[in-house]
Amino acid sequence: MSSWFEERRADKAADAVQRREDREFESKLRRDERRKDRDEKRTDDAQRRRDRAARRQARAARREKTLTPGNVYRKGTLGLVALSALASLPAQILHFVAIHWSLSPIGPALEGAAWVMAAGVAYADERKLPVWVRWLLRILSLSAAGFAANINYQYGLSLVHHGLDLADAKTAGLGLAAVTLGGPLFFEVRQWVLTLSASVVDPKKRAEAKARDKHERRRRRVFKDVVARQEQLLLAAPFGTLKAEEAFARAWWDVKGAPLGVTADVIADRLDAEADVSAVLAYADQTPEKLAVEYLLADIFKGEGGASGTLSGKPSGGPRDGASEARTALGGKGKGPDSSTADTERLKPLAEADLEAVRKLASALGGTGRLSARNVREAIGCRNEYALRLRDAVRSEKKD
């Protein structure tokens, strides 16, 4: 019996624990839901604040863009133009209606002519039409506006018959004439300002266009023959198929016979400079050690060559033959020339026949400026040092 009561108490305790756990779980769920609702509300409030800030910023940007000096000037000018038209048109209509009712369209026709011609000036500026077209439209617009202004002035003076004194009638006439002329004039000044401001919108592009025009003028002045050939190529090719720069490069090759920027003088000077550098490097290769060996061998075998220290003939037999061959081999190997041969070339007088041959070569090439050590060496069959002396001698004759 006691066991049943114990089980009963255990069941009640377990139920109590379960109910407590259920209450705690439900309480946690409610807290989580309230926390989630607060987080969502906080997120929604933050989003609404961001949206309001974005709308305020957008309105401020629109106001800033709308209230810029350029927009105020453009829209303000159009407002003045509209007010001037509203002020001047009724007086013209009443003036012609007073004459006869059938003349009522004349007033709107005059005002419309002035405004249509003024709009034509703006259209001509947009399409970059010739200047004379713009000035013709301006003259027509101002003529129509001037005729309408005269009519309005006469109408203002006629108000004397409607109870106004003469001074007030003159003031009314002048005011009507001013607004009649002021509308087209304001519109014309507006168009001038817009045209001038459009030309200075991008100073970099304008500077680039100016530099490009200057480059084109200098090219035409310096390379007239190449530009003439370029124009021939552009005219010969179908329209738009050949670019101007490509045509200029092809024209350069046709006229100068070389890639763009290269001429015969440039090639001759380059070859001349390369030959000079080669000659200098060839003689610069004679190091002191090589010269010491040459002088030592010459001193050893000076008996065979006389007092000068150079070999006058080939020694015969014995070890001298081997020494002579060694000397010859040392003089012939390597990048540098033999010192005795170089000294001979350096001291050799210029032969008149060689000079005459170089003169003929210069004449065939088109001037001494095209002479180079290389072509002189090939024509005469000599060493670089002697070719350089021949070239310089012929060039100095031309300068003298």
Side-chain angles (χ1 to χ4, degrees):
M1 197 64 186
S2 60
S3 62
W4 182 83
F5 285 112
E6 290 177 358
E7 291 178 359
R8 181 67 177 169
R9 283 195 298 270
D11 291 339
K12 289 182 179 179
D15 292 340
V17 171
Q18 185 63 41
R19 286 194 297 271
R20 186 169 60 253
E21 291 178 354
D22 291 341
R23 286 195 299 270
E24 291 178 355
F25 181 73
E26 291 176 358
S27 176
K28 182 180 179 182
L29 285 178
R30 287 194 293 272
R31 288 196 302 271
D32 291 342
E33 290 178 356
R34 287 194 297 271
R35 187 182 302 109
K36 184 177 179 180
D37 293 338
R38 287 196 301 271
D39 293 340
E40 290 179 354
K41 185 175 182 301
R42 191 179 299 112
T43 302
D44 294 340
D45 293 341
Q47 184 62 40
R48 282 193 293 272
R49 287 194 297 270
R50 286 194 294 269
D51 293 340
R52 285 196 299 270
R55 287 194 295 271
R56 285 196 299 268
Q57 187 176 3
R59 287 194 297 269
R62 285 195 297 270
R63 284 196 301 270
E64 183 179 0
K65 185 177 180 180
T66 303
L67 298 178
T68 57
N71 284 335
V72 171
Y73 176 74
R74 286 191 293 268
K75 295 180 179 179
T77 305
L78 292 178
L80 289 176
V81 166
L83 290 176
S84 65
L86 291 175
S88 62
L89 188 59
Q92 293 184 56
I93 295 175
L94 292 175
H95 176 79
F96 286 104
V97 168
I99 299 174
H100 194 272
W101 64 267
S102 63
L103 300 180
S104 58
I106 295 180
L110 287 175
E111 285 285 336
W115 289 113
V116 168
M117 294 300 107
V121 175
Y123 180 75
D125 286 335
E126 179 183 352
R127 290 292 183 177
K128 301 292 188 290
L129 296 182
V131 178
W132 67 268
V133 176
R134 307 175 197 180
W135 280 105
L136 176 62
L137 293 173
R138 288 188 180 104
I139 291 172
L140 293 176
S141 175
L142 293 178
S143 299
F147 185 68
N150 181 56
I151 292 175
N152 280 349
Y153 179 72
Q154 297 298 329
Y155 177 78
L157 294 180
S158 67
L159 293 179
V160 175
H161 305 293
H162 296 277
L164 292 180
D165 56 12
L166 183 59
D168 293 339
K170 286 184 177 180
T171 301
L174 290 175
L176 289 173
V179 295
T180 304
L181 279 174
L185 286 177
F186 290 154
F187 191 82
E188 179 62 26
V189 172
R190 174 183 182 271
Q191 188 60 31
W192 277 353
V193 172
L194 293 179
T195 302
L196 293 175
S197 61
S199 63
V200 296
V201 168
D202 195 346
K204 292 183 178 179
K205 290 185 178 179
R206 188 175 61 173
E208 182 181 355
K210 185 177 180 181
R212 186 182 295 109
D213 293 340
K214 183 179 179 181
H215 174 265
E216 189 65 26
R217 289 194 302 269
R218 291 188 63 189
R219 171 183 279 184
R220 290 182 174 276
R221 184 173 65 253
V222 176
F223 306 112
K224 295 180 181 179
D225 51 353
V226 180
V227 172
R229 176 59 180 161
Q230 177 194 18
E231 293 177 352
Q232 290 179 353
L233 292 173
L234 290 174
L235 289 175
F239 179 77
T241 59
L242 183 61
K243 295 182 179 180
E245 289 302 324
E246 182 181 353
F248 187 83
R250 290 172 56 180
W252 185 281
W253 186 274
D254 293 342
V255 175
K256 303 296 184 181
L260 185 63
V262 181
T263 62
D265 292 335
V266 172
I267 296 175
D269 292 341
R270 183 189 302 165
L271 294 175
D272 197 359
E274 290 176 355
D276 293 345
V277 172
S278 299
V280 171
L281 292 177
Y283 286 103
D285 194 59
Q286 290 290 342
T287 62
E289 291 78 6
K290 289 184 178 181
L291 292 176
V293 172
E294 295 287 344
Y295 291 147
L296 177 61
L297 292 175
D299 188 37
I300 291 173
F301 298 102
K302 65 181 179 179
E304 297 293 331
S308 64
T310 58
L311 293 177
S312 58
K314 181 178 179 181
S316 59
R320 298 195 178 200
D321 292 338
S324 178
E325 291 176 0
R327 179 181 181 276
T328 304
L330 285 173
K333 289 183 179 180
K335 296 181 181 179
D338 183 74
S339 61
S340 60
T341 308
D343 293 337
T344 302
E345 291 289 343
R346 201 173 288 118
L347 299 176
K348 180 181 177 181
L350 300 178
E352 184 61 31
D354 294 339
L355 290 173
E356 185 61 28
V358 175
R359 295 188 190 101
K360 291 180 180 180
L361 177 62
S363 177
L365 292 175
T368 58
R370 296 189 175 182
L371 287 175
S372 65
R374 180 179 179 180
N375 53 33
V376 172
R377 185 177 66 251
E378 293 175 352
I380 303 300
C382 60
R383 299 178 63 85
N384 277 333
E385 178 65 23
Y386 189 68
L388 289 172
R389 291 171 58 204
L390 286 173
R391 183 202 64 186
D392 296 338
V394 175
R395 283 185 176 179
S396 62
E397 291 176 357
K398 293 297 181 180
K399 291 180 180 179
D400 295 338

